[in-house]
Amino acid sequence: QPKFFRPEDVDENFVSQELEIARELLIKEGKPESIIDKILEGKKAKLFTEVCLESQSFLKNSDQTVLEILNQVGQATGEKLVIKKFVIFSLGN
């Protein structure tokens, strides 16, 4: 479930909290301090793909992101497409 439109919109407090949790887990796993920062950079990039709508896989074609589909449709129509709002529907609890 996306929480933000694009990586630039992600709240820094959210990112720092998530990375701090990941850092604590890596320390508990016994990872060497020298590689923790490299692992956290990868986790940060993955976090953006999970919480940013534009970075997520397109539902009908998981090989492309939502942003790639927007650009593709924009080129076909000659318009610049921008997502201004999105709604998440969920069934059940």
Side-chain angles (χ1 to χ4, degrees):
Q1 291 186 352
K3 297 178 184 338
F4 306 96
F5 285 116
R6 58 189 80 63
E8 302 87 50
D9 298 338
V10 178
D11 181 33
E12 282 300 317
N13 291 332
F14 174 78
V15 173
S16 62
Q17 288 173 349
E18 292 294 319
L19 292 179
E20 188 57 37
I21 292 168
R23 178 182 293 280
E24 289 175 14
L25 289 173
L26 291 170
I27 290 171
K28 285 181 183 177
E29 290 176 4
K31 299 288 184 190
E33 198 63 39
S34 59
I35 64 167
I36 287 179
D37 288 333
K38 292 178 184 177
I39 294 172
L40 289 177
E41 283 300 315
K43 287 190 177 286
K44 184 177 179 180
K46 184 173 183 197
L47 176 67
F48 286 148
T49 62
E50 291 174 355
V51 299
C52 298
L53 179 66
E54 286 185 348
S55 303
Q56 290 187 345
S57 296
F58 184 60
L59 186 61
K60 292 184 177 182
N61 181 358
S62 61
D63 294 335
Q64 293 181 302
T65 65
V66 172
L67 181 60
E68 290 171 342
I69 296 294
L70 279 177
N71 291 337
Q72 209 174 51
V73 172
Q75 285 179 344
T77 61
E79 298 290 329
K80 179 173 171 48
L81 301 178
V82 178
I83 298 173
K84 292 193 175 196
K85 181 178 177 181
F86 66 95
V87 177
I88 299 173
F89 293 96
S90 145
L91 298 174
N93 294 334

